[in-house]
Amino acid sequence: MTVKQEKMMPSAEEIAKLPPDGGPEFNRLIHEKSPYLLQHARNPVDWYPWSEEAFEKARKEDKPIFLSIGYSTCHWCHVMEWDSFEDTEVADILNRYYVCIKVDREERPDIDEVYMNATQLITNRGGWPNSVWLLPNRKPWYAGTFFPREDVQGRPGFKTILLSLAEFWQRRRQDVNRQADQLADVMERIMQAKNIEPIGEPSREMVTQAVRELRDAFDQEHGGFGDAPKFPPHTGLDLLFYEYRRTEDDYLLHMITRTLDGMAQGGIHDHLGGGFHRYSTDAEWLLPHFEKMLYDNALLARAYVMGFAATGNHDYREVAAKIFDWISHEMTDKGGGFYSALDADSEGVEGRSYVWTHEEVISALGEREGELFCRVFNVKPEGNFHEEATGKKKDLNVLFRSKTYSQLAEEEGIPEDEFRQRMEDCRRRLLQIRNMRVRPHLDDKVLSGWNGLMIGALAHAGGVLGESGYTRAADRAAKFVLKNMRKDGRLLRSSREGEARIEAYLDDYAFLIDGILDLYEATKTKSWLNEAVRLTEALLDLFHDEVDGGFYFTSKDHEQILTRLRDPLDKALPSGNGVAARVLVRLARLTGEHRYLSSARSCFEGFQPIMGRAPRSTESLLLALGMYLDTVSPGGIAVKEQEQPDVSVRKKPVKADVFVSKTAAAPGETVTIAAKLTIDKGWHINSNRPLQDYLIPTSLELHDSPAVSLGRVQYPIGTKVALGVDQEPVSVYEQTAWIVVPVKVARNAESGLRQLELMLQMQPCSKEKCLAPEKLKLSVPLEVNPAGGKGRHQAIFDIIGTMPKKASAKK
């Protein structure tokens, strides 16, 4: 444990007897459940939890608020506590001039997100601890992250900043208020993801662009994307796996496997205990920040299971199995839920529990096996890494491999099976010794959303690997969350020591639903599908933005922090909007409820401007868009039903099948006609907007008929392709395209049978040639009858009814 966490904590009975302010030894945080807040309960700082009491005190005493946000397993949060918050001089300044509030970002991600945006706007960077100065009305006016207590190399320290800002507050209040108002206005626009002009419509091209950007950023040598620091690319891997299965592009699989190999061999991987650390401070995956988070390991376990399914590489299966073993042994509550995280620090030093000297390894394993292990895992007498903060090289080693076990066995001249067994024996012996060290602090709160991620990973693995134990663990955890973390039908965010609290957020609902759907697909137990539907209906009711599309982060009746967040961006976790959209598409497939597709579509339309401009930051939304486009045709219609068309016309290389919603309609009634165009392989037709004026657009027109009138035709979005010597991009339809047109019967139309003459104009082309423009006549029978007619092709036209009309788009 860290120095801070080794102090004796009072029992629950003792805490209950303490006064609201904590008493002489403790501050108010002693009454909280959050491990992070409890870590600060002995600080001399007069901390408040986020509460109206704190803001009322600030208003009454006319003081600014100092807000400190962090989490219990954060290394630099510990450093700032030891350096500043335990210092009585710093505490005196804070208590005299400020009202001080502590927030656990994992319990209150809504507060964290709002004020992290402020910090990034002010400093152009972010991180934890997040230090923000607020007006009593909650508006931020100054911010930063970690501050050392004293001035360093001409840079002001925390004490200097506190005193300077206190003077600024007292003498230049108008400037403070003006800055807070300006900052709040900018934050409102950014956090609502509005006022960004669209650059088209949600399309396959947007998914393709994200994959292109992943290709451009791919690190061929070490795997992953970009340079240091390197975070596990959860959403990027998910997108690449999906696109690889769709396209069978071998280079996408190469990007996946090189990244999986790099992480599995690197120091970011806990080779002894299983699981992965938070991220690597370098590009080689060598030196990690040592905290281990539940969500990282859930998402990575799924990635390695998918890697095994795609390649048959048993090393990937082993990596996933070791993650699940670690979760089972160290991270599982007695009721079946999963804990949140393990600290980076022990004995006051980051990574102390995980690093080794060369001498320690040799002493533990003996000369022969020890030297072999040191060669395999790059353990050196002089150490193998530089300390991140100081740049100094120490005699400590992070375990990492430079090659696969197969390659290393061959180099050592040892049969691979024997080599693997010897390494496994060494691993177990070293883990036994490591387990006798002072263990990192465990954050034992159970978060419903993070549990949803691990439930999904276990259920998916159980199905793919045929491991029923994984499925049982997922089942048990899901039952724990649904039984213990719901109140009045509403999901709760956090549970610890038998008490669940805090209304759940979008992420909690979306991640849990996604995990429960994995559990349903693994078990085929209908009750899990029913639970997913119930939670999804609550998600739509509580979080859906009916005006702009997509979902808010907080529920409609949740406390509002400056503004109601509506965030499409992937960060350490996938975007709640991206996972919610994926859930809706999955449920539409499983239940046949096409209204879920409509809600998913509104998400893509609401965030299209950001998806188009920042594909690397919206990969989870783009993955959901790809799933949506594969569920529906390019025109937006899912047709898995084997329904016979009313009219079928074939003119190579195009076939047109026409479906009519009604064969009889009353005067004044509207009939919908859908034309499915099937285009031979190797051919395409220009879209209705082909980009070049000289190309013939695809169009559908109605020949003159006084009895009916044509409404606005809905064309699918074209796919951009580069053709010809100059590679000029054109917009085309390939494979399948749907054109939808409403036809309104005139109010004075006479009864009787009519033939509606629709004319389809197009120009088929291949890479080698273009045919002459074609016109296909589609003759559709329609009876005008005062009694109207019965609906037909219901599955098709149900989905057409969910398609948003372009004229009503708000872009």
Side-chain angles (χ1 to χ4, degrees), residues 136-183:
N137 65 6
R138 295 170 168 77
K139 289 183 180 180
W141 56 281
Y142 191 77
T145 53
F146 170 82
F147 294 103
R149 181 179 67 240
E150 306 293 345
D151 299 350
V152 180
Q153 297 178 345
R155 297 178 61 185
F158 191 47
K159 287 194 301 185
T160 299
I161 289 170
L162 287 173
L163 291 169
S164 297
L165 292 178
E167 183 178 5
F168 201 79
W169 170 266
Q170 292 169 356
R171 296 190 178 186
R172 301 180 62 181
R173 185 69 59 85
Q174 286 186 338
D175 291 337
V176 170
N177 291 336
R178 182 167 52 253
Q179 180 163 321
D181 289 341
Q182 291 172 349
L183 184 60

Side-chain angles (χ1 to χ4, degrees), residues 478-486 512 516 528 531 535:
K479 287 174 178 174
F480 173 89
V481 172
L482 293 174
K483 178 182 178 182
N484 298 290
M485 301 181 71
R486 277 199 292 196
L512 183 60
I516 288 174
W528 287 124
E531 286 287 3
L535 288 167

Side-chain angles (χ1 to χ4, degrees), residues 218 252 409 415 444 552 600 610 612 725 806:
F218 178 55
L252 302 188
D444 60 352
Y552 290 107
I610 294 178
V725 176
K806 293 180 184 177

Side-chain angles (χ1 to χ4, degrees), residues 202 540 544-551 566 577 581 584 596-608 628 802 804 810-811:
L540 290 167
H544 192 221
D545 181 350
E546 301 290 347
V547 177
D548 292 299
F551 297 90
R566 182 175 161 274
N577 270 282
L584 290 165
Y596 293 141
L597 290 176
S598 179
S599 296
R601 172 87 185 200
S602 80
C603 206
F604 308 134
E605 291 190 325
F607 294 119
Q608 184 278 334
Y628 172 87
T802 70
K810 298 173 283 301
K811 312 295 183 290

Side-chain angles (χ1 to χ4, degrees), residues 242-253:
Y242 189 84
E243 287 298 288
Y244 168 69
R245 289 192 296 267
R246 189 179 69 84
T247 65
E248 298 183 352
D249 182 341
D250 287 339
Y251 190 73
L252 302 188
L253 185 61

Side-chain angles (χ1 to χ4, degrees), residues 448-514:
S448 54
W450 296 12
N451 269 250
L453 296 174
M454 185 55 75
I455 289 164
L458 282 161
H460 174 75
V464 171
L465 305 178
E467 293 283 352
S468 59
Y470 296 157
T471 309
R472 286 195 299 272
D475 181 282
R476 187 166 176 250
K479 287 174 178 174
F480 173 89
V481 172
L482 293 174
K483 178 182 178 182
N484 298 290
M485 301 181 71
R486 277 199 292 196
K487 182 180 180 182
D488 300 327
R490 296 274 291 268
L491 194 61
L492 298 175
R493 167 75 173 176
S494 179
S495 175
R496 184 172 180 269
E497 294 184 340
E499 180 184 333
R501 55 200 297 269
I502 305 173
E503 292 283 352
Y505 301 95
L506 171 64
D507 290 11
D508 297 307
Y509 279 87
F511 296 171
L512 183 60
I513 296 165
D514 204 37

Side-chain angles (χ1 to χ4, degrees), residues 629-785:
L629 294 173
D630 289 336
T631 301
V632 303
S633 78
I637 307 168
V639 181
K640 297 181 181 178
E641 298 76 15
Q642 301 300 315
E643 300 198 39
Q644 293 300 313
D646 299 292
V647 177
S648 186
V649 179
R650 167 79 167 164
K651 176 88 178 200
K652 279 194 170 186
V654 178
K655 179 185 178 186
D657 293 317
V658 180
F659 301 83
V660 185
S661 63
K662 292 182 178 182
T663 57
E669 194 172 5
T670 296
V671 175
T672 303
I673 299 174
K676 176 187 177 184
L677 309 183
T678 304
I679 304 152
D680 290 350
K681 187 175 181 180
W683 291 84
H684 64 264
I685 58 177
N686 299 320
S687 75
N688 70 310
R689 295 180 180 178
L691 302 182
Q692 290 80 15
D693 293 339
Y694 57 84
L695 294 177
I696 305 297
T698 296
S699 64
L700 188 65
E701 298 175 351
L702 175 68
H703 273 202
D704 290 341
S705 175
V708 297
S709 60
L710 198 67
R712 188 177 61 83
V713 181
Q714 295 183 63
Y715 294 96
I717 301 163
T719 300
K720 288 183 182 178
V721 297
L723 300 170
V725 176
D726 58 2
Q727 296 291 296
E728 183 180 13
V730 295
S731 177
V732 303
Y733 300 143
E734 299 174 300
Q735 298 179 2
T736 306
W738 284 81
I739 301 174
V740 181
V741 53
V743 176
K744 185 171 183 178
V745 180
R747 293 191 179 278
N748 60 356
E750 296 181 0
S751 299
L753 182 64
R754 289 169 173 76
Q755 292 294 124
L756 305 184
E757 300 294 339
L758 295 169
M759 195 63 68
L760 175 66
Q761 176 177 273
M762 60 187 176
Q763 183 174 26
C765 296
S766 67
K767 289 185 178 180
E768 291 77 28
K769 63 179 179 179
C770 282
L771 304 180
E774 298 278 3
K775 286 190 177 182
L776 289 185
K777 185 167 74 172
L778 309 175
S779 184
V780 180
L782 178 66
E783 179 186 0
V784 178
N785 187 326

